[in-house]
Amino acid sequence: MMSNKLRTSIPNSVTCLNIASGCVAIAFAFAGKFEWASLAICAAALFDFLDGALARLLNAYSPLGKELDSLSDMVSFGVAPAAMVYILLPEPVSYFALAIPVCGALRLAKFNLDTRQTSGFIGLPIPANALFWIGEVSLWQTSPTTEANMWYRAAIVLLVSLAMLSPVRLPSLKFHSARPSRENTPRYLILIISAGCIVAFGVPGFAIAIGLYFLYGAISTVAAR
């Protein structure tokens, strides 16, 4: 039988790949290779999904794994997208990019302490934030940053960052079973619509998909009240 130490080391090793991917994304961002940076963030998101799936499959939860997961998310989904935004925006609005890791850190700290977020999220999850910036950065690359639109872009940075700290309730997209159910129906719809956005709009479709995901949560939160 596999020892507990060995079992917990498997998902933790995958989490380390998440961190490594985030560091690679940061390096690519500062080299101006945004497409490669985006791919590295996507790889980090994949490893972020796999480490949780492996922890559940092996029943290999550990305090170390929980802390390591938050640190890796901070690098890959907070600092890495912020680096892309910082490079693309001209000064002084480039410093608005600092809101992404700051709000991301607060989001992760709140998530670790909030017992209400076991089956869903309150506020935009930090991986979803990173996927939004993959799409938005791709869109920004197709049009130059001008005096007229740079403050508009800075406002987007602030709004999306603050969305991570909002009271909006969002469903988790982690499936505990593949069977159709009342709990899984919103997850399937979100995934189908997201795939449709990416097919229809390409990489900018990531930003549209995350925007619709957040809008769904906002409407559901208001309706529940």
Side-chain angles (χ1 to χ4, degrees):
M1 182 176 292
M2 190 183 300
S3 68
N4 184 60
K5 186 175 181 180
L6 179 59
R7 280 190 293 113
T8 56
S9 69
I10 293 173
N12 289 349
S13 297
V14 177
T15 305
C16 289
L17 293 175
N18 178 351
I19 300 174
S21 298
C23 292
V24 169
I26 294 168
F28 277 132
F30 280 100
K33 300 177 180 179
F34 299 113
E35 292 81 4
W36 287 102
S38 296
L39 283 173
I41 292 173
C42 288
L46 176 61
F47 291 131
D48 184 54
F49 171 80
L50 289 176
D51 66 3
L54 286 169
R56 290 189 294 272
L57 179 66
L58 299 172
N59 192 25
Y61 299 101
S62 68
L64 175 64
K66 182 179 180 180
E67 298 301 324
L68 190 62
D69 188 66
S70 292
L71 291 170
S72 65
D73 286 357
M74 181 61 194
V75 173
S76 300
F77 310 131
V79 178
M84 292 197 295
V85 172
Y86 177 82
I87 298 298
L88 274 176
L89 290 178
E91 291 188 3
V93 296
S94 58
Y95 292 101
F96 278 75
L98 298 177
I100 300 173
V102 170
C103 291
L106 289 169
R107 169 77 182 85
L108 290 166
K110 288 176 65 178
F111 178 79
N112 288 343
L113 298 173
D114 195 342
T115 56
R116 299 172 298 168
Q117 300 190 57
T118 54
S119 59
F121 303 109
I122 300 176
L124 185 69
I126 193 170
N129 160 80
L131 294 177
F132 175 88
W133 288 115
I134 287 175
E136 194 69 8
V137 164
S138 177
L139 184 63
W140 288 358
Q141 286 181 277
T142 62
S143 59
T145 303
T146 63
E147 185 74 26
N149 67 21
M150 69 176 186
W151 291 105
Y152 167 74
R153 293 181 177 183
I156 293 176
V157 173
L158 281 180
L159 288 174
V160 176
S161 299
L162 291 173
M164 290 189 278
L165 305 178
S166 72
V168 171
R169 291 182 175 270
L170 294 156
S172 169
L173 299 182
K174 294 179 180 178
F175 290 84
H176 297 286
S177 72
R179 296 177 182 177
S181 65
R182 183 178 179 181
E183 184 184 49
N184 284 341
T185 297
R187 295 181 176 126
Y188 280 119
L189 287 174
I190 290 168
L191 290 175
I192 291 169
I193 292 172
S194 298
C197 289
I198 295 167
V199 170
F201 300 102
V203 178
F206 279 100
I208 298 170
I210 298 302
L212 293 174
Y213 173 54
F214 187 78
L215 179 62
Y216 167 81
I219 293 172
S220 299
T221 302
V222 172
R225 291 180 177 177

